[in-house]
Amino acid sequence: MSTTRDSVLMPTLGSHYYTDDAVFEAENELIFESQWYYVGRADEIPAPGRFLRRRVGRETVLLVRGRDQVIRGFLNVCRHRGAQLCLTETGDTGKAIRCPYHAWTYGLDGRLITAPNWQAMDSLDRDGYGLHDVHVEQWEGLLWVSLAERPEPLRDQLRPQIEARLADYAKFERYDLGGLKVGGRVEYDVAANWKLIYENFQECYHCGTIHPELVHTIPEFQSPAMGTGGYDPTGYAIAAELDSFSLSGRTVLPTLPHLLPEDDRLYYGMVVRPNCFISLVSDHVIVHRFEPLAPDRTKAVCEWLFPAEVIDSGGYDVSDAIALFGKVNEQDFAAAQWCQPNMSSRAYRDGGVLVPSEQTQIGVFYQWYLASLGEVA
Ligand code: FES
Ligand SMILES: [Fe+2]
């Protein structure tokens, strides 16, 4: 079998990076369990006792709001004999976290409070049997977890990525993600490696073929040369004849409150590594969260954020805004699923190639990825 390579094309990662269990294991260890990892929104757990359960790499983590309003993270592992403490993705523990198996009971701060037949164990050093805690930080209303022993500050991981995309961090802050509310949420079970989804999001060579609605909305995306040399930090303009970034192009919602006139009618999309995409437009923000589940399977959760007044007033219909990226998601995830089965084909043994307009953004992603795995890019 012969494979041709040309100097104008850049090789993709080798095909085994998309199929191999050992690679996936290394990604879990060196990326998802080592870097700050996006797990959800702080406003999903608004009151003491409310929790989120999330898979982080190969672990399961609980995020619980305490009586002091602090959100803490723990491994979801009972110190008695290892049962999972919380069995659902979200819920309310009440005043304490009670193991469903033998009822060891932990405070919302993770300390062991009591256990059945406590009198027989009165010499027990209960401080030695608290839940294992993990680092939790909040950024723009988004909760991030790190399983590293001594993680770098979350900001140091995220801010350079935003600056690389927008050139100006203040621009990002104007969207005030933490002040927005979820107006729509869709979960996708994508039968594809997470990196296929990320690569796809970082090129628009496919936009003209698979995203008719998106290129109608953002005409620049029609060009197969879009992205050559990197993304434009000044954003991409909504078509002059349309009123909004929505499926019909007609639904007008209130502009996000802190934006400047210069932010109006622009779209920005960015990957925030390791597991978040953020898309900014002037009347809403779209946040994707990814959970790589297996080499060939990724859970994606897409949330559409709007100003609180838009959601709470009941006077606005956000469905048209949601429908546009809803289509884009389905189109993108279908494309990733077209590729995944062939990652193990003999025809793809040496991987594929990136055209010039794909090389800059995906090249940055590959550099980060290979460096994270300790391999030289
Ligand atoms: S495993 Fe949790 S109380 Fe026994
Ligand atoms: Fe796409």
Side-chain angles (χ1 to χ4, degrees):
M1 190 177 308
S2 70
T3 306
T4 55
R5 286 287 186 272
D6 194 295
S7 60
V8 298
L9 302 176
M10 183 179 124
T12 64
L13 295 172
S15 57
H16 71 285
Y17 282 96
Y18 304 86
T19 58
D20 193 314
D21 286 331
V23 169
F24 187 64
E25 189 92 346
E27 291 171 348
N28 277 323
E29 182 187 341
L30 299 170
I31 297 176
F32 306 123
E33 296 170 15
S34 294
Q35 302 185 9
W36 287 101
Y37 184 84
Y38 172 45
V39 290
R41 291 178 57 78
D43 63 12
E44 290 179 75
I45 45 175
R50 294 284 295 273
F51 71 86
L52 293 177
R53 184 188 70 166
R54 291 286 185 261
R55 179 182 162 133
V56 178
R58 295 158 296 185
E59 296 285 357
T60 310
V61 163
L62 285 183
L63 292 116
V64 187
R65 189 179 288 271
R67 289 189 212 194
D68 54 3
Q69 297 297 333
V70 173
I71 296 174
R72 296 180 177 83
F74 309 105
L75 295 181
N76 187 26
V77 180
C78 181
R79 296 296 306 278
H80 174 219
R81 280 176 41 218
Q84 290 192 57
L85 297 160
C86 293
L87 303 173
T88 54
E89 284 296 274
T90 187
D92 192 340
T93 66
K95 290 195 167 67
I97 303 166
R98 186 169 179 268
C99 179
Y101 195 179
H102 313 89
W104 278 34
T105 301
Y106 305 87
L108 302 182
D109 58 2
R111 287 191 311 146
L112 178 63
I113 300 172
T114 190
N117 200 17
W118 191 241
Q119 313 81 288
M121 300 181 277
D122 61 359
S123 62
L124 180 74
D125 169 19
R126 73 174 92 180
D127 289 343
Y129 287 89
L131 300 179
H132 285 288
D133 50 13
V134 301
H135 299 277
V136 180
E137 275 197 39
Q138 242 186 91
W139 173 78
E140 299 284 347
L142 310 183
L143 294 170
W144 298 69
V145 161
S146 174
L147 302 189
E149 259 174 50
R150 278 186 297 280
E152 65 173 345
L154 174 63
R155 234 178 131 72
D156 291 357
Q157 179 178 312
L158 303 182
R159 190 176 170 122
Q161 299 189 60
I162 303 295
E163 287 172 341
R165 175 66 190 86
L166 300 178
D168 174 11
Y169 194 76
K171 186 194 294 181
F172 180 75
E173 290 179 309
R174 293 200 288 274
Y175 288 83
D176 187 24
L177 269 61
L180 304 179
K181 270 186 138 173
V182 175
R185 181 177 205 269
V186 181
E187 288 194 26
Y188 305 86
D189 187 354
V190 188
N193 185 275
W194 62 280
K195 298 186 294 299
L196 290 177
I197 299 169
Y198 287 36
E199 288 165 7
N200 171 80
F201 196 73
Q202 296 177 101
E203 52 94 351
C204 215
Y205 193 52
H206 68 276
C207 292
T209 46
I210 75 169
H211 295 315
E213 302 84 4
L214 181 63
V215 300
H216 175 67
T217 311
I218 311 276
E220 280 175 272
F221 287 176
Q222 182 74 50
S223 165
M226 216 294 288
T228 305
Y231 285 154
D232 184 348
T234 64
Y236 297 100
I238 294 170
E241 71 275 17
L242 299 180
D243 301 320
S244 64
F245 189 84
S246 60
L247 191 57
S248 74
R250 295 294 164 224
T251 303
V252 177
L253 298 171
T255 301
L256 304 184
H258 307 297
L259 294 190
L260 300 176
E262 71 206 52
D263 302 321
D264 202 20
R265 302 181 57 81
L266 292 172
Y267 168 89
Y268 303 88
M270 64 201 82
V271 170
V272 185
R273 300 179 296 268
N275 70 321
C276 178
F277 298 171
I278 297 177
S279 301
L280 307 171
V281 287
S282 41
D283 57 0
H284 62 284
V285 171
I286 302 159
V287 180
H288 289 79
R289 178 170 66 81
F290 294 96
E291 257 183 60
L293 299 173
D296 59 356
R297 191 165 166 222
T298 305
K299 175 175 163 181
V301 179
C302 183
E303 292 181 325
W304 285 259
L305 313 180
F306 300 88
E309 52 145 329
V310 170
I311 303 303
D312 295 339
S313 71
Y316 297 97
D317 180 0
V318 297
S319 62
D320 193 25
I322 290 171
L324 176 55
F325 227 88
K327 281 231 179 265
V328 172
N329 283 338
E330 282 169 18
Q331 293 156 344
D332 279 333
F333 298 154
Q337 294 183 148
W338 296 335
C339 298
Q340 182 64 39
N342 285 338
M343 294 295 106
S344 51
S345 166
R346 69 195 70 193
Y348 205 73
R349 198 168 283 153
D350 296 331
V353 288
L354 301 175
V355 300
S357 66
E358 298 172 310
Q359 291 171 7
T360 303
Q361 292 299 136
I362 297 178
V364 168
F365 173 66
Y366 283 175
Q367 271 181 0
W368 162 82
Y369 173 76
L370 292 170
S372 298
L373 292 191
E375 300 176 23
V376 180

